[in-house]
Structure formats: C-alpha cells, structure tokens
Amino acid sequence: MKVELSGVSVKLGNRTVLREVSLSVPSGAFLAVLGPSGSGKTTLLHAIAGFVPLESGTISFDGQIVSRAGYRLPPEEREVGVVFQSFALWPHMTVEEHITFPLLQRRRRRFRTELEGKGIFRRTIGKYLSNKTQSKPKEDAAVETIEHEVEKLLKLTELLPFRKRFPSELSGGQKQRVAFARALAASRKLLLLDEPFSHLDAPLRATMQLELAKLHRTTGSTVIFVTHDREEALALADLIAVVKDGRVVQIGPPDEVYLQPNSPFVAAFVAGAALVPGTWRGKWFTPLGYVGDEVWDGTSIPPAFREAGCFPVRPEEWVLRKYPPGIPVRIVRRAYEGRTVRLTVELAATEINPDEVQCNERETADWPFRKTSFDLFVSPQKYRDICTDPGQIRHIILRKSGTNIGSRTKNDNNV
Ligand SMILES: Nc1ncnc2c1ncn2[C@@H]1O[C@H](COP(=O)(O)OP(=O)(O)OP(=O)(O)O)[C@@H](O)[C@H]1O
C-alpha cells in the first residue's frame, strides 16, 4: 500500500506536535522514522493509524484520503497492523487467539450486517461460529479460511510450538513475534511499528531485526518503523525520514542521509559526525585550532553548515596522529570494541577561543556544539602505537581522499 502525507499538522492539547509533514512511502517500502525523544515520531505513526485527528493536511492510502481536518477513517477500518513499543499483548489470550482475533474482526467487518449484535468475540472460532449466525456451509468455509490463515502466520513467525501458550509463558522474543503475527493478521498491506525492539537485549534485538527484514521480504508489506536508534534505521530501512521538533528535516535512502546530510543536526544525529568549528572562506574551510597549513574543500557541503560555521566529519573519516599537523584533541574516553577502539575526544580547550566559533544557536542549541566532543575509531594496534592513556592530547586530521584537502597558503589566494 502506498502511503502519502501532505502538509500534515497535528495538535495535542494546545501544542503543535507535527508541523507540515509531507512524505511519500511507495508500496512495499520500509520507511524508518528516526528522531530524538519527543520529536513527534509516535504522533506521526498515530496519525497514520488514525488514532489522532489532523489539524491540517491529508493522509492517503493508495490515493484514497483516510485523514484530513474534520475527517478520520476509524483505525479499525484502515487495514493497518500496529506493533506497539510494549507489545500490548492480552494476558488472557493464547498465541493463536491473538492471531485469530484480528482475523475475526476483519471477517466481522465483511459480514457486519449478519453478525451485528451477536457477541462474536468469544475465545475460539468454534464458539464464535456456534452462534449460528451464518449458514452451515458458510460457517465451515469461514472456519477453514481463518484456521488456514492462523496456521500460515504461526509458521511465518515460527510460533507453531507455542500456539497454546499465554503471554506469561513466553520469552521476550516470542512475545515480540506474537505482536508481529497479530499485526500481520490485521493487515499485510501496511505495518506500523513503534520502537518494537526497544525492550529487548542486544543479541535478541539483532535476531529480531533479521526476522523483521525477512518478514518484510516475504510479505511485501509497506512498513513504517519508528526508532531513535540510527544503526537500526540504517540497517533496516529503504528510506529514512529524520524528524526534529515535529518536522521531517530530511528524507532519503540510508546512504544518502548518512553521506549527504543537509544540516548539522542530521550529520550529528544520523552519522555521529563531529561538527568541527572553524571559518569558511568561499569553498574552503579552516578548522579552528588547526596546527599546520591545510584547509578543507567544502564544495559538496550544504549551505546550512556554512551558516552554522562548522564542517561535518564522520568517525571513520578521521586519522589520529601523535604530532601536528592536525587539530589538537584531548582523549576523554576509550572503549575497546574488539576489532576497533572507540575514542571519544574533545577539542583541546587551550587551543580554542570560543568567541571564534560562529555557532548558529537555533540549529545547534540541542547539540553539544561548543563543548565539541565526538567519537572516532582506531585499530587496537594504532591505539597502542599512538596513545596510551585518556587525557592525552593528540592530533586528528581529515583522512586524505585526494580532493578534500588544500593548502592554506595556496588557497588563500583563490578566495
Ligand atoms: N496528549 C498529549 N498532549 C500534549 N502533548 C503531547 C501529548 N502526547 C505527546 N505530547 C508531546 O508531543 C511531543 C511528541 O511526542 P511523541 O510521543 O510523538 O514523540 P516521540 O518522538 O515518539 O518521543 P519518544 O521517542 O520519547 O517516544 C512530545 O513533546 C510530547 O511531550
């Protein structure tokens, strides 16, 4: 199912929580909605599910408007499957009953007139159908269809051995799979997932991410997935929408958002980039405190970085050196991660006059820009060769890629 939002604004209480959000998710695509806490991700998902009314704009599914100001197709009529952060399983229902329930609801919608007021939500399909609301052949066909679908979903989510168990008898990962199976039973067209892995430990999280990717491939559902974990978003999605303060500030494929962020916020949030303060002269950038005569070529850096007086550098772009040339930094933390050592560094304060930092307050107010601290990775061997203790001052330079470095004296003449 293709999902389109055009100029969507949502007010909760007297706060505008979503502002003029426009985005388009092609049928079968996996969109990750990525943003910090409180940015409006869950509200965006709730607007798509039909849980909240719109102040303005439209939401459409396959070209049909499902929400606009003053109109909202009820959630149960939207054919969407939702997985909530907390799983929200029903303690009194078994695994197979969880999956049966939305199938009965869908059936109920189809036979609404026949079933109206007949008390269909009993614990099993048998009980439900023994209400004799339909003819015998119709009953048999309904049982068969629902049973068949339940079997398929149990198999798809590898829950066959647990079908008779209640939630209290399941592990975290199994509960998660029940939540997925129930959502798929509600709809295979559109799945809305609100941080579904946030309560799982790291190994289980990795397994569930693989399972979700497989499920997405096999079902072909459109998936909208809310997360504040950039690695999860980069690993799973076809498209990432970065949300800040209720707005979508950038949307694109993961590599595009990672490699070509359009603002300091996206660079720092999605790529963990350092926002190196310094001075722009034309296309050339001189990092603050740089010891040496190099300047960086910012031809491909968007204007928002010039306005903020900074240059984005991703962790993998740095080279650590014992001596100048480079930017002096103090190593404040090291974390051994097996193949690499993650170093957290701060610009060495003695070298820097904070007044020289041309910081755009609005863009960087929520990011530790002035107290610039960021990560870089070195090999364990390099770590042993270059640094021994946190607290040491070392130098970092931008990895030479052949095109992004110039000489200060040579290029000063060109600006
Ligand atoms: N019912 C409400 N009334 C008023 N404000 C609300 C209401 N619900 C949420 N908000 C506010 O709307 C903003 C967006 O909330 P939302 O839950 O969508 O953010 P989020 O990005 O999903 O956050 P998190 O990652 O912490 O779950 C927050 O500042 C929140 O405090």
Side-chain angles (χ1 to χ4, degrees), residues 99-117:
I99 304 173
T100 307
F101 186 83
L103 294 171
L104 286 176
Q105 268 196 314
R106 276 167 70 178
R107 186 144 200 95
R108 175 178 174 237
R109 279 199 294 278
R110 220 175 307 154
F111 293 101
R112 179 168 284 168
T113 44
E114 290 175 57
L115 299 176
E116 208 82 277

Side-chain angles (χ1 to χ4, degrees), residues 240-315:
I240 296 181
V242 185
V243 182
K244 183 187 178 220
D245 298 335
R247 294 179 201 278
V248 171
V249 290
Q250 186 166 359
I251 181 164
D255 54 346
E256 187 182 300
V257 177
Y258 185 82
L259 296 172
Q260 298 160 37
N262 63 7
S263 67
F265 170 78
V266 176
F269 191 71
V270 178
L275 303 174
V276 179
T279 310
W280 283 95
R281 283 199 193 86
K283 69 170 188 172
W284 297 103
F285 180 80
T286 308
L288 199 64
Y290 197 94
V291 182
D293 72 347
E294 284 177 354
V295 286
W296 298 346
D297 182 352
T299 310
S300 61
I301 306 295
F305 293 91
R306 290 158 205 251
E307 285 159 24
C310 65
F311 193 104
V313 185
R314 297 186 303 279

